[in-house]
Amino acid sequence: MNKSFSRKDRVSEQIRRELADLIRTELKDPRVGMISITDVEVTADYAHAKVFFSTLAGSENLPAVMTGLQKASGFLRRELGKRISIHMTPQLHFVFDQSLERGAELSKLIQVAVAISEAPDPTPED
């Protein structure tokens, strides 16, 4: 059996899509504004789901975004249960995904390194 299309992966992807839609259309909490659900990892028994998200709000607003998501987790879980049919709707655990910020930092470092390597070497004058 091909592991890349396992039921667990399909359920994780469906949860990711549905949560993204719920947050965008149904969630009215102003603290949870511009976020993207980047990934969902579901346990083997579907009891828990780790929901990875990124935000455009900036790192200074991250505690407020986390609080808003945690307060809304019961509502999101209930609405998720209405939209998907699995034997157990998982408890949602939100985790900030730093990969986008880290990627941007690495890109800046690469640009600086390229600029330094392309700069002409100063030649000592005799």
Side-chain angles (χ1 to χ4, degrees):
M1 181 175 168
N2 189 355
K3 292 287 184 188
S4 65
F5 295 110
S6 70
R7 175 170 165 71
K8 185 173 149 184
D9 292 340
R10 290 191 310 265
V11 168
S12 294
E13 179 59 23
Q14 185 177 8
I15 289 172
R16 188 195 65 76
R17 281 193 313 257
E18 295 296 339
L19 279 176
D21 187 53
L22 280 168
I23 289 170
R24 183 175 46 82
T25 60
E26 303 291 327
L27 199 59
K28 304 298 183 210
D29 193 331
R31 296 173 290 193
V32 184
M34 299 293 291
I35 73 163
S36 296
I37 305 298
T38 56
D39 194 20
V40 174
E41 292 178 359
V42 180
T43 58
D45 61 354
Y46 301 110
H48 300 275
K50 219 185 262 192
V51 180
F52 295 91
F53 72 94
S54 64
T55 180
L56 296 176
S59 58
E60 64 276 354
N61 295 328
L62 185 59
V65 172
M66 284 293 290
T67 302
L69 286 171
Q70 289 168 349
K71 295 276 186 191
S73 66
F75 166 76
L76 292 171
R77 183 179 184 200
R78 183 177 62 248
E79 293 300 313
L80 190 61
K82 293 176 184 176
R83 291 182 176 210
I84 63 173
S85 53
I86 55 176
H87 62 281
M88 177 184 289
T89 305
Q91 286 185 350
L92 305 174
H93 306 281
F94 292 95
V95 178
F96 179 62
D97 186 359
Q98 297 178 347
S99 63
L100 296 176
E101 288 181 356
R102 185 68 180 140
E105 290 173 13
L106 290 174
S107 291
K108 286 180 187 177
L109 288 174
I110 291 170
Q111 289 174 349
V112 168
V114 167
I116 290 172
S117 69
E118 291 177 350
D121 289 333
T123 55
E125 299 200 16
D126 292 323

